[in-house]
């Protein structure tokens, strides 16, 4: 099967997420990197693209130049990844969708709910795929957990508890570091800092595993470093549409925690636990039974967990391969095969609605707020 043509906007030299996208997109032979506008500085972006093996005429100075260049080509890109600052996601994603390109956008997909709804409708109207990089949902053992919930292996889900808390922004003397500062600047990050950055990964994961959607929430935000306008710590209670109780903590000032993303799902007949720092393992406890450690690559796993595992049991694959699994599902979807685990624009707009609901709730002292975007109420 012929490889698909892939291009990238943002994610250049020094980017935190760029290398994971390049490793992921190229890992399984589905894509060739043929175009890019990797930096807001045109010369640096072109130079980086050529270092990545991109031909000179497809090493673009900015995304608008890339759009115009690619839309005229017979061998135009099949997919573009948008890995730029949050405030630019909507404009770039919309332009490429309207021009007939498939898009993978970093989260959050947009800055406002209205923008998210617009992107969702454009994707529906154009028939183009707009996916959002909720890559943690593509770990094989997360797919196993979702399949177990769907299959009734732990009964009706009563409670889901999740957190994404780290301490890497906890040093107040480093608060003016440009790589840190923008995350708490409303002009760059939007209405929310830590919750929009990390918390929505945890919220999406709760919805994904439980195969349900967030209906309402109550939030408490804190800016523990006074210079920050946006929150660096948040506690969110939520309810899923089928009645599941949800609890979420997210923080960037939890010094001593490294990655800190984990989730526990408690059902009527069993419980599941997964931690991103040991992503190959899913902990399963049946009611009245012994706790079991389920390993990626072992026999007896559900189809989606087996499909997205590449190497033998006990060999770690890690974060870039979770990103690679998103690209595997994207390649299948572009070629016409449905992959229901792929997080699409609807997931992006639901996350943005939850962000704005949490901001409103926190400002109102934790009152419960409808967390659904208007188009899904």
């Amino acid at each position: 099967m012929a490889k698909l043509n892939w291009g990238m906007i943002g994610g250049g030299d020094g980017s935190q997420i760029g290398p994971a996208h390049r490793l992921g997109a190229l890992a399984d032979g589905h894509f060739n990197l043929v175009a890019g506008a990797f930096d807001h500085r045109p010369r640096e972006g072109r130079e980086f693209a050529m270092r990545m093996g991109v031909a000179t005429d497809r090493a673009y100075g900015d995304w608008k130049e890339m759009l115009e260049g690619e839309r005229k080509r017979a061998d135009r890109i099949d997919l573009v990844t948008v890995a730029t600052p949050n405030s630019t996601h909507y404009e770039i994603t919309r332009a490429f969708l309207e021009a007939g390109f498939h898009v993978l956008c970093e989260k959050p997909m947009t800055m406002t709910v209205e923008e998210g709804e617009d992107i969702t409708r454009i994707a529906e109207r154009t028939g183009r795929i707009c996916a959002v990089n909720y890559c943690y949902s593509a770990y094989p053992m997360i797919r196993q957990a979702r399949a177990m919930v769907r299959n009734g292996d732990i009964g009706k889900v009563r409670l889901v508890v999740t957190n994404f808390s780290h301490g890497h922004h906890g040093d107040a003397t480093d608060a003016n570091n440009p790589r840190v500062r923008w995350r708490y600047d409303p002009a760059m990050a939007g209405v929310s800092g830590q919750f929009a950055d990390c918390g929505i990964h945890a919220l999406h994961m709760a919805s994904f595993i439980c195969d349900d959607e967030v209906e309402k929430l109550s939030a408490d935000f804190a800016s523990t470093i006074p210079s920050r306008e946006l929150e660096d710590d948040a506690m969110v209670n939520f309810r899923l549409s089928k009645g599941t109780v949800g609890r979420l903590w997210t923080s960037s000032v939890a010094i001593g925690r490294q990655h800190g993303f984990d989730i526990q799902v408690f059902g009527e007949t069993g419980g599941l636990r997964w931690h991103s720092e040991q992503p190959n393992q899913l902990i399963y406890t049946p009611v009245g039974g012994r706790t079991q450690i389920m390993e990626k690559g072992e026999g007896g796993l559900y189809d989606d967990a087996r499909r997205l595992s590449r190497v033998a049991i006990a060999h770690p694959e890690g974060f870039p391969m979770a990103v690679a699994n998103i690209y595997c599902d994207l390649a299948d979807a572009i070629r016409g095969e449905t992959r229901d685990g792929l997080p699409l624009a609807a997931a992006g707009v639901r996350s943005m609605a939850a962000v704005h609901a949490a901001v409103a709730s926190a400002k109102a002292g934790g009152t419960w707020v409808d967390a659904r975007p208007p188009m899904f109420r």
Side-chain angles (χ1 to χ4, degrees):
M1 189 174 295
K3 289 187 178 183
L4 299 167
N5 287 334
W6 172 57
M8 189 172 188
I9 302 170
D13 198 9
S15 166
Q16 181 177 347
I17 197 64
H21 277 285
R22 287 185 286 278
L23 288 167
L26 305 178
D28 297 284
H30 293 300
F31 294 94
N32 278 326
L33 176 60
V34 299
F38 290 98
D39 202 296
H40 68 281
R41 300 164 298 177
R43 187 183 71 179
E44 285 81 352
R46 290 191 182 98
E47 290 176 351
F48 183 83
M50 288 184 283
R51 291 205 303 274
M52 294 296 104
V54 174
T56 304
D57 64 333
R58 301 179 85 171
Y60 298 104
D62 59 46
W63 70 265
K64 292 180 180 178
E65 181 186 342
M66 180 170 165
L67 177 61
E68 289 308 308
E70 290 299 310
R71 74 196 311 172
K72 299 172 184 176
R73 300 183 67 103
D75 61 346
R76 60 191 260 166
I77 55 173
D78 298 289
L79 172 72
V80 61
T81 293
V82 179
T84 55
N86 299 356
S87 58
T88 66
H89 289 180
Y90 171 67
E91 181 183 16
I92 299 172
T93 297
R94 175 174 181 157
F96 275 84
L97 287 174
E98 293 277 18
F101 295 94
H102 301 296
V103 179
L104 172 61
C105 184
E106 266 301 326
K107 57 83 207 160
M109 185 177 73
T110 61
M111 298 274 275
T112 70
V113 179
E114 293 77 14
E115 290 174 348
E117 291 188 330
D118 190 39
I119 291 295
T120 303
R121 293 190 176 102
I122 291 170
E124 291 172 353
R125 172 170 54 79
T126 61
R128 300 295 88 185
I129 296 164
C130 180
V132 186
N133 191 34
Y134 288 119
C135 53
Y136 298 100
S137 66
Y139 275 106
M141 298 314 288
I142 291 299
R143 297 294 179 94
Q144 173 69 15
R146 188 189 201 207
M148 291 179 71
V149 169
R150 284 181 162 183
N151 198 51
D153 293 347
I154 64 169
K156 177 177 169 55
V157 177
R158 293 168 171 161
L159 174 66
V160 57
V161 180
T162 184
N163 84 85
F164 197 156
S165 48
H166 64 83
H168 300 299
H169 301 165
D171 183 356
T173 64
D174 194 43
N176 285 323
N177 180 335
R179 295 186 64 182
V180 174
R181 187 180 61 239
W182 77 267
R183 299 175 186 274
Y184 306 96
D185 178 357
M188 296 290 288
V191 297
S192 170
Q194 177 62 14
F195 184 66
D197 187 24
C198 294
I200 57 173
H201 272 301
L203 196 68
H204 175 264
M205 185 76 85
S207 296
F208 185 83
I209 293 178
C210 295
D211 201 22
D212 199 359
E213 301 298 344
V214 177
E215 188 171 85
K216 60 183 179 178
L217 57 77
S218 168
D220 177 42
F221 282 8
S223 297
T224 65
I225 293 179
S227 62
R228 290 175 177 165
E229 191 170 344
L230 298 176
E231 86 287 347
D232 52 23
D233 187 275
M235 184 69 74
V236 180
N237 292 312
F238 59 95
R239 299 291 186 272
L240 301 181
S241 65
K242 298 174 187 176
T244 298
V245 174
R247 316 288 189 201
L248 184 156
W249 172 47
T250 186
S251 182
S252 63
V253 294
I255 295 172
R257 294 181 68 95
Q258 296 303 319
H259 195 248
F261 185 14
D262 60 52
I263 188 165
Q264 299 177 81
V265 182
F266 304 103
E268 293 176 335
T269 61
L272 300 169
R273 177 162 51 93
W274 178 87
H275 196 300
S276 66
E277 293 176 27
Q278 289 85 37
N280 290 345
Q281 297 182 339
L282 179 66
I283 311 302
Y284 167 51
T285 306
V287 64
R290 289 192 176 94
T291 294
Q292 306 170 31
I293 300 176
M294 307 175 73
E295 292 275 358
K296 179 197 69 65
E298 70 182 16
L301 300 180
Y302 285 105
D303 289 345
D304 224 20
R306 291 199 303 270
R307 178 178 67 86
L308 296 176
S309 297
R310 291 168 186 75
V311 296
I313 188 170
H315 292 275
E317 295 181 15
F319 179 78
M321 293 301 99
V323 177
N325 288 339
I326 293 290
Y327 281 96
C328 285
D329 281 354
L330 268 167
D332 288 344
I334 291 169
R335 291 167 175 150
E337 186 172 353
T338 300
R339 292 297 184 196
D340 75 347
L342 183 62
L344 298 174
V349 71
R350 286 185 184 278
S351 293
M352 187 46 54
V355 167
H356 282 266
V359 170
S361 173
K363 288 180 177 178
T367 188
W368 284 88
V369 176
D370 193 323
R372 299 168 296 176
M375 69 185 303
F376 293 137
R377 293 182 186 176

